Amino acid sequence: MTKVSSTTSDPRRPAGPVPAAVPAPAPGSAPATGSAPAAGSAPATGSTPAALSLTERRKAETRMEIARAAARLFVRQGLRATRAEDIAQAAGVAPRTFYRYFATKEEAVAPLYAAGAHLWAEAVRDAPAELSPPEALDHATRHMLTPGTEVSAASWEWTRALIRLAGTSPALRKVWAEVCHTSECPLAQVLAVRVARGDDNVAARLVASHRLRFPAAVAVAAVRVAVERWAADEQPGNAGRSPLDVALRHLETLHGFPWETLTETAG
């Protein structure tokens, strides 16, 4: 049974490829294994998504409450010792309600993984307009991975614990991997808007061409590997460090990507 110290405080913010209360996850997009929308679900044209109905908001809140209950139990008593029924009871819902949202207990933390990716994509979208795509990625990553800005100290500990757990369970690792993969498409949509410099038609053509899926996948992998390395690091001197420096080093790869050629073929 894998346990993480029970002194870790509540996962009030999610953990995706980027921590947020990843801090998570997840970081808008198609649902991952029954999770809430993952990173960057905003349309490629940059328009504002329609507001959720009251019923949809309540469902999303229930889904996240179940996810937080699952995270608390996984961290405090271990993954193997936790049943779906235990999670349902801790979340204050019936077991049948749990299974309406999630097929397995491992999938219950997908919304937490996905929320971080979602916040990261939003940070890329909201970066200063004058920044190039790789500069916007760096800017958003600094915002998300600098302790004390977007993510609290308690959230960092929950992020470390949840990502560490993913390394010990094939089922949980599958959920983590699916959330990371799912976050690539929405990030590509956000990057398309920035590459197109406000031209909705060009942005739509870029998304349809799938040419931005590669740099989006590279960006997600760059941050994911940095976060996984940080979560696995148990050296005492590194306890208070974040994965920021490693993530930025990985993202340097995209500064050499031929972004300027994308609009030539999509225009």
Side-chain angles (χ1 to χ4, degrees):
M1 175 169 59
T2 301
K3 288 188 178 182
V4 183
S5 172
S6 62
T7 59
T8 307
S9 59
D10 250 6
R12 289 301 170 188
R13 294 182 53 89
V18 179
V22 184
S29 69
T33 61
S35 70
S41 53
T45 58
S47 61
T48 302
L52 294 177
S53 68
L54 178 59
T55 299
E56 291 170 328
R57 288 200 303 273
R58 285 175 175 170
K59 287 181 178 179
E61 289 167 1
T62 299
R63 186 181 291 112
M64 189 58 77
E65 283 305 315
I66 294 173
R68 288 173 179 144
R72 285 193 293 268
L73 291 174
F74 289 170
V75 170
R76 290 173 180 169
Q77 65 187 40
L79 182 64
R80 292 182 62 185
T82 301
R83 304 173 303 159
E85 292 76 10
D86 299 327
I87 298 171
Q89 182 178 24
V93 300
R96 66 179 179 276
T97 300
F98 175 92
Y99 285 113
R100 278 205 298 266
Y101 289 96
F102 305 104
T104 67
K105 66 181 182 181
E106 290 85 3
E107 289 181 8
V109 296
L112 290 177
Y113 286 147
H118 177 66
L119 291 176
W120 182 42
E122 286 187 335
V124 174
R125 182 195 64 199
D126 296 338
E130 66 272 14
L131 297 183
S132 67
E135 290 171 341
L137 286 165
D138 290 350
H139 176 89
T141 302
R142 288 191 184 92
H143 176 68
M144 295 299 301
L145 296 186
T146 299
T149 54
E150 183 64 27
V151 185
S152 69
S155 292
W156 279 103
E157 289 309 308
W158 274 102
T159 297
R160 188 189 293 271
L162 287 175
I163 296 175
R164 215 176 257 174
L165 282 173
T168 68
S169 163
L172 197 56
R173 185 158 53 247
K174 180 175 180 288
V175 174
W176 165 248
E178 287 182 355
V179 168
C180 291
H181 176 71
T182 301
S183 70
E184 294 171 6
C185 232
L187 180 60
Q189 293 176 350
V190 171
L191 290 172
V193 174
R194 186 165 291 271
V195 171
R197 297 186 179 277
D199 188 323
D200 290 353
N201 291 327
V202 172
R205 286 196 290 272
L206 282 170
V207 171
S209 73
H210 302 290
R211 295 197 66 196
L212 279 167
R213 282 296 302 274
F214 173 73
V218 171
V220 170
V223 178
R224 175 185 59 78
V225 171
V227 169
E228 289 175 346
R229 174 181 169 182
W230 161 77
D233 189 351
E234 298 182 353
Q235 296 182 33
N238 294 335
R241 298 181 62 184
S242 88
L244 176 60
D245 290 343
V246 174
L248 290 176
R249 285 201 300 273
H250 292 173
L251 286 170
E252 286 177 4
T253 302
L254 290 174
H255 283 263
F257 183 76
W259 299 94
E260 66 282 352
T261 65
L262 296 176
T263 52
E264 295 172 5
T265 56

